[in-house]
Amino acid sequence: MSATFSSRTRLRLVRAVLAGLVVATGVGLGAFNAWWVALFIGIPLVFLGVAISPRASRVSELPEFRRGVTRDAPQIEVGALTRSSLGSDDLQPTMVTATINPPNDTAYEARWITSMTKGHFQALTSSPFTTLPPDQLPPRDQADTPEFDDHPGRWAVIYPAVTFVTACALLFGVADNWTISVPSLQSSGSVVNAPADDAEVTLAARHQRLLDEIVEYLGPGAPRNVLRLSYNLDSSSDQAIVFDPTNGRATNINVWDGGSNASAMPTMDRADKTFDAATINPGSLGDIAGSMSAEVSPIVPDAELNGFEIQRPAPNEPVVLTGSFDPADTFIHDVEIEARTDGTVAEFFDPADFDAAFGVARDALGVADLPPDAPVLDEFVIRGIADNTPIISASSIQSSGGVLFRYTTPTRSGQIVVAPGTFPDVSGNTGRYRPDGFAFDAVSPQVFDRVRDDAMKRGSIPEYDRGAVAIEVSDPPFTDEPPLAIRVEMARVDASKGMYTLDGQFIKAGHY
């Protein structure tokens, strides 16, 4: 009987915990959301939790009397039955006094209280001989005589206490936010005006809205000829530029909260820069925006996504999604980061972290199929992204910052550019040239750090300007200079300008 009691108790404790969870969920959703959430979700959940919570009664903790039906069921002879008369329910607490005859064992007298139906009570009063299931046999040695007022005992308090504690634990100790968002029940205006943090909802809804307007103005085939899609997340304004393959012109479609318009416009782009906007899954845009934010936040913690654009950067190149971020109070230029339609996001790195910059540079050499130990480099430039970073030489990274190589091999020459948040851009021309440059392995981030430390000391540069660095390795323009040198400038301070050997030894002040 103890095993049956324990199993029943465990089941009712599980019900008490589940009831607490359901009640807490109903209260949390009802208290922190709109009235209709409380009415249609919160209140029903509270009632459901109360309904499934166990309630201790006079028979709730008593095993129900049943006859044994197996071959090994022990026979008993009932000597007395005492049935409670406090209620008229079919199940009543009943004290049974009987002689137990276990198979192949000595008979013994026992007394116990069970939950017995009227049918069983009447049958036993007519015929005292019956059987019991083996798992319901009362113990041979009883320490105490059972009494009717033993049940339900402490469980009358324990079950509701478990429900209450569980509800409080979930409501106040576990759940951080009970607010729910149901975009499908909001108006289109409230969706497009959602904050940038809701990029998953915002971009999906706005992308679909823009596609619908393209079809509305230009027909069902127009989404296949899109040149650019732009989303301004600081407002409700979105833009699509759609190419017309019949005349080489384009249509500019603007959509905002509550309206739209379209106008013809000239364009220098052609069909090789169009893409099929309908093949882009609206639901994936939010995931991509989230990955962009995760890539940017370690370097610019307070940056917020405020723009999103989709286009081919060059004819027949893969489609690129570009996220624009407001850097808030960080003193750097506006932040942009690229991604592919398959969800691949470009690395956003701090070029002033030379370990990170050298890692990006080595990967970019691999993209261009240039071995790092081959002496094919003519120039290697790293420029930081702080606003006061100097321009050490005119190049593709003089505004964005990043990493740049110029190279010459026996068969080709060109450049490699990697700005923070962009994919490597490799360009070049074929031709027969003999390389006379330096290998990437000839320099290291440790040497660049030593050069920067010395430049900061010479220019009295404060530590907070450590990221405002421009540094390059190249051939000097004058024949009386060393064949290769490291040049550096910090924070637009002339006194920091200097020239160094490839192993970091100071040569002279100034660039050249």
Side-chain angles (χ1 to χ4, degrees):
M1 292 183 66
S2 60
T4 303
F5 177 83
S6 178
S7 175
R8 180 184 298 105
T9 302
R10 284 196 297 269
L11 178 60
R12 295 174 70 83
L13 285 174
V14 169
R15 285 179 53 192
V17 171
L18 181 60
L21 297 178
V22 174
V23 169
T25 302
V27 172
L29 294 178
F32 295 97
N33 290 279
W35 65 268
W36 56 267
V37 177
L39 181 62
F40 295 107
I41 300 178
I43 294 176
L45 284 177
V46 172
F47 276 104
L48 176 62
V50 173
I52 65 175
S53 62
R55 284 167 292 279
S57 68
R58 301 181 67 239
V59 297
S60 62
E61 303 306 312
L62 293 173
E64 184 177 348
F65 180 86
R66 53 191 174 90
R67 296 178 183 273
V69 295
T70 59
R71 289 180 177 272
D72 60 344
Q75 295 183 351
I76 69 169
E77 181 181 356
V78 176
L81 292 174
T82 305
R83 184 171 171 82
S84 173
S85 60
L86 295 180
S88 59
D89 295 337
D90 181 57
L91 282 173
Q92 287 289 329
T94 304
M95 182 177 294
V96 182
T97 303
T99 301
I100 311 298
N101 296 285
N104 304 316
D105 202 350
T106 305
Y108 65 94
E109 297 289 332
R111 178 180 294 175
W112 71 99
I113 295 179
T114 183
S115 175
M116 185 176 292
T117 65
K118 290 181 180 178
H120 279 134
F121 182 84
Q122 293 169 352
L124 289 176
T125 55
S126 300
S127 176
F129 297 98
T130 188
T131 57
L132 281 181
D135 61 350
Q136 281 204 7
L137 280 183
R140 182 181 292 270
D141 298 320
Q142 292 179 308
D144 299 314
T145 300
E147 301 291 343
F148 283 110
D149 57 3
D150 292 341
H151 302 280
R154 64 182 184 278
W155 296 106
V157 177
I158 290 179
Y159 291 140
V162 169
T163 299
F164 178 77
V165 170
T166 303
C168 290
L170 177 61
L171 193 59
F172 303 111
V174 177
D176 292 328
N177 187 2
W178 288 101
T179 303
I180 60 174
S181 175
V182 186
S184 60
L185 297 180
Q186 298 175 350
S187 67
S188 60
S190 63
V191 171
V192 300
N193 285 321
D197 290 342
D198 295 332
E200 292 85 349
V201 174
T202 303
L203 287 173
R206 292 172 70 155
H207 181 75
Q208 189 59 55
R209 182 185 67 169
L210 199 50
L211 290 182
D212 293 342
E213 292 297 324
I214 292 172
V215 172
E216 180 71 21
Y217 278 107
L218 302 176
R224 293 193 293 269
N225 300 309
V226 171
L227 289 169
R228 186 174 75 237
L229 300 176
S230 302
Y231 308 92
N232 183 354
L233 301 182
D234 283 340
S235 70
S236 66
S237 177
D238 302 326
Q239 180 192 49
I241 298 179
V242 185
F243 183 70
D244 187 344
T246 64
N247 58 21
R249 295 172 66 84
T251 301
N252 177 33
I253 300 175
N254 293 290
V255 185
W256 61 92
D257 185 13
S260 64
N261 61 31
S263 59
M265 60 177 291
T267 179
M268 300 298 292
D269 295 325
R270 289 297 178 257
D272 53 8
K273 285 196 69 177
T274 64
F275 63 94
D276 188 350
T279 62
I280 298 175
N281 178 15
S284 69
L285 299 183
D287 294 334
I288 293 174
S291 298
M292 288 177 172
S293 298
E295 187 69 32
V296 170
S297 59
I299 298 174
V300 191
D302 296 327
E304 292 186 359
L305 183 68
N306 60 4
F308 202 81
E309 190 171 89
I310 307 173
Q311 65 177 343
R312 290 191 193 276
N316 299 315
E317 290 292 318
V319 175
V320 171
L321 298 78
T322 304
S324 302
F325 288 78
D326 181 355
D329 293 333
T330 307
F331 293 106
I332 64 173
H333 296 293
D334 289 346
V335 173
E336 291 188 348
I337 185 168
E338 296 177 347
R340 305 290 192 201
T341 55
D342 62 0
T344 304
V345 177
E347 180 178 357
F348 191 86
F349 64 99
D350 182 2
D353 179 351
F354 291 144
D355 286 328
F358 268 71
V360 170
R362 186 176 293 274
D363 292 341
L365 288 176
V367 173
D369 198 23
L370 296 176
D373 58 351
V376 297
L377 300 183
D378 303 314
E379 186 177 17
F380 173 34
V381 184
I382 296 178
R383 183 178 185 272
I385 56 177
D387 279 344
N388 59 335
T389 302
I391 300 173
I392 200 167
S393 60
S395 69
S396 302
I397 62 171
Q398 67 185 35
S399 298
S400 64
V403 171
L404 177 140
F405 291 110
R406 290 191 173 97
Y407 65 91
T408 302
T409 75
T411 59
R412 59 193 170 103
S413 64
Q415 73 174 14
I416 308 168
V417 177
V418 190
T422 68
F423 295 104
D425 179 17
V426 180
S427 60
N429 299 304
T430 59
R432 296 186 177 275
Y433 304 100
R434 180 178 297 279
D436 187 20
F438 63 95
F440 177 71
D441 287 344
V443 290
S444 70
Q446 293 76 24
V447 170
F448 274 29
D449 275 323
R450 289 203 302 271
V451 169
R452 172 167 52 187
D453 290 341
D454 188 71
M456 292 178 67
K457 184 184 299 183
R458 289 186 299 101
S460 300
I461 305 299
E463 184 63 28
Y464 55 74
D465 276 333
R466 186 175 182 81
V469 59
I471 189 168
E472 72 167 8
V473 182
S474 65
D475 286 319
F478 307 111
T479 57
D480 60 343
E481 302 291 356
L484 287 171
I486 299 174
R487 293 166 182 82
V488 68
E489 183 179 348
M490 299 287 302
R492 303 183 186 269
V493 176
D494 288 342
S496 69
K497 296 179 180 179
M499 185 182 297
Y500 297 78
T501 64
L502 294 192
D503 61 358
Q505 300 300 313
F506 179 70
I507 298 175
K508 69 173 189 177
H511 286 165
Y512 305 107

